[in-house]
Amino acid sequence: DFHRMQLQALSMVSKVSMAPRGGARGGRRRGVLARAALRSVNGTRPLVESEAGRRALKHTWPGFVDWRRAEPRRDVVWGAGKKSTTEPTPGSSSSSSTSSSCFTENHDEDEDDKLDSLTLAECGKLVLETSDPKEKALLTHQAYLRFAASREGEVGVARGPEEPGRPALPKLVPPRDCPGPKQSGLSLSAYMIHNLAHIELNAVDLAWDTVVSFSSNGDLPREFFVDFLRVADDESRHLRWCLQRLKELGAEYGDLPSHGLLWSAGAATRHDLLARLVAIPMVQEARGLDAGPRLVQRLRGSGDARSAAIVEKIAEEERAHVAVGVFWFRYLCDGMTCEEVAREFHRIAEEHCGEMIRGPFETETREAVGLLEQWFAPVSAR
């Protein structure tokens, strides 16, 4: 009976794909109908096993599947000491590089009773409401160990806060009022790591907000939420590395004013999933692919190999986060032509991303994770 139902569903998909084209709107409609047909058969089965999922994988970073299947990461503390300048092994993948020469494992955070009775979306709401950055990171990792690693637990439905919980400092100011390195009163390394810590804190919240804001979307498979939970866990680890390094440098998060521009892009896309995928992983996260190598060179040039190694590893791991956006964007646009997909990206970028798409670009790295130059180049702020 199951195989018979599969054939009926595939027949429905074929009829949808043969329907007359109606531009971008028609393409989106065909994709939605095709996915609904498959969902009616598979129920809770992974939709990424569908034809739409397989097609999306063909255009995504080759390391994406390995990233999804990786064992839970425990390398939440960087290195053994302040003086270490050991760097990650060249060419190591983001899913498996946990060398003891670079990382120290931490096992003191595997259990937290406050998460026991919560659904995944409710965990996200709790994290978003948490003000302390380190506590936010700890709760994120605990939620990841519970949901992603075990493949158990209900996604559920929740509604997040309008603004995420934040510590009293840093003070949030317009971007133009953020001090430059010479005016900051911090060393160059501390200044750059502070800025990166602010980015990573926002990245944790934005990944969780994606889980929470779209938890009521019944068309999304569990893999969608687990992917963004894994992104949140990666970002929480990056945040902890930055907080650790700031302390080693004699500074702490909050020593500099920062801006709220990163969160505002998420707030503007809370009710539009395609727009969220473009604005956050495919634009904001992609900026890390461009800026990371330059920041590494600058830190090394100043003699801070330890900070450079941390930033290099973070930049390397951002590839998977951009790939998550590319995969689900492709998945949701299934049924569109290549030209229609590009036009959809352009439409969203022009509406929501403004000046955020700005070169110089690491085009080869972007293309390697599936982010095509024909998508971002025409809408870049030159």
Side-chain angles (χ1 to χ4, degrees):
D1 288 342
F2 177 74
H3 291 300
R4 177 176 55 79
M5 293 173 68
Q6 275 190 319
L7 290 172
Q8 290 174 346
L10 291 172
S11 175
M12 293 171 66
V13 174
S14 297
K15 290 177 181 178
V16 170
S17 65
M18 292 172 65
R21 297 190 179 276
R25 290 181 181 274
R28 287 196 295 275
R29 180 62 175 164
R30 288 194 304 280
V32 169
L33 289 174
R35 290 190 298 279
L38 285 163
R39 187 165 64 91
S40 69
V41 172
N42 292 340
T44 58
R45 289 169 60 84
L47 283 191
V48 292
E49 293 180 1
S50 69
E51 287 300 319
R54 283 191 283 270
R55 281 191 289 270
L57 276 177
K58 289 180 181 178
H59 299 283
T60 309
W61 178 50
F64 182 55
V65 173
D66 288 339
W67 174 79
R68 274 180 162 175
R69 294 175 178 172
E71 292 296 315
R73 296 280 294 274
R74 304 278 185 167
D75 46 331
V76 296
V77 179
W78 184 276
K82 181 177 179 180
K83 300 297 184 181
S84 171
T85 58
T86 306
E87 299 185 21
T89 303
S92 60
S93 71
S94 62
S95 63
S96 61
S97 178
T98 56
S99 168
S100 60
S101 63
C102 302
F103 309 112
T104 302
E105 293 192 349
N106 186 310
H107 296 281
D108 64 357
E109 55 190 85
D110 292 359
E111 300 292 339
D112 194 310
D113 292 343
K114 70 177 68 174
L115 301 180
D116 283 351
S117 61
L118 301 183
T119 65
L120 178 58
E122 288 168 342
C123 286
K125 180 176 183 291
L126 174 63
V127 174
L128 286 166
E129 292 172 343
T130 299
S131 298
D132 181 74
K134 188 169 183 181
E135 178 70 10
K136 197 185 287 276
L138 287 170
L139 288 172
T140 295
H141 190 52
Q142 290 157 7
Y144 173 72
L145 291 174
R146 179 182 168 197
F147 285 90
S150 66
R151 292 284 171 174
E152 296 177 359
E154 181 186 355
V155 172
V157 177
R159 182 174 181 177
E162 290 300 313
E163 298 284 338
R166 286 286 184 267
L169 295 173
K171 179 181 179 182
L172 296 183
V173 299
R176 65 178 179 275
D177 293 337
C178 291
K182 293 182 179 179
Q183 295 78 38
S184 69
L186 300 179
S187 68
L188 179 63
S189 290
Y191 173 83
M192 291 191 283
I193 296 297
H194 188 284
N195 286 342
L196 185 55
H198 185 66
I199 292 170
E200 298 300 335
L201 176 62
N202 276 274
V204 172
D205 283 329
L206 287 166
W208 273 118
D209 188 70
T210 301
V211 171
V212 174
S213 294
F214 299 99
S215 61
S216 60
N217 187 329
D219 287 332
L220 291 171
R222 192 176 191 276
E223 281 78 5
F224 172 86
F225 301 101
V226 173
D227 278 351
F228 278 93
L229 171 59
R230 187 180 285 271
V231 170
D233 185 53
D234 284 353
E235 304 292 16
S236 73
R237 184 173 60 256
H238 299 168
L239 173 60
R240 292 184 67 177
W241 290 345
C242 291
L243 295 177
Q244 174 192 344
R245 186 58 182 148
L246 275 176
K247 188 174 181 179
E248 293 171 357
L249 292 167
E252 62 181 62
Y253 181 65
D255 283 352
L256 287 177
S258 299
H259 60 77
L261 193 61
L262 300 173
W263 175 258
S264 64
T269 57
R270 271 184 156 175
H271 306 292
D272 185 337
L273 180 51
L274 280 177
R276 169 60 64 92
L277 294 171
V278 171
I280 305 306
M282 300 171 73
V283 171
Q284 280 194 17
E285 298 266 21
R287 293 187 73 178
L289 303 182
D290 306 322
R294 297 195 295 272
L295 182 53
V296 169
Q297 289 181 355
R298 195 170 180 189
L299 286 165
R300 282 188 179 143
S302 69
D304 187 356
R306 182 169 170 82
S307 294
I310 293 173
V311 174
E312 184 174 47
K313 189 63 177 174
I314 290 174
E316 175 190 317
E317 295 186 356
E318 295 299 337
R319 294 178 300 173
H321 306 168
V322 181
V324 167
V326 171
F327 173 85
W328 289 107
F329 185 73
R330 288 276 194 180
Y331 178 85
L332 292 169
C333 291
D334 188 59
M336 292 187 187
T337 66
C338 294
E339 292 76 15
E340 288 171 341
V341 173
R343 284 199 296 270
E344 187 71 358
F345 183 94
H346 297 160
R347 178 190 67 79
I348 295 168
E350 288 171 350
E351 181 177 351
H352 292 285
C353 301
E355 298 287 308
M356 289 192 291
I357 305 178
R358 179 182 292 277
F361 301 112
E362 291 288 327
T363 302
E364 184 176 348
T365 305
R366 284 171 167 250
E367 292 258 357
V369 298
L371 191 57
L372 302 182
E373 187 174 13
Q374 68 193 70
W375 293 357
F376 62 83
V379 289
S380 66
R382 301 184 186 281

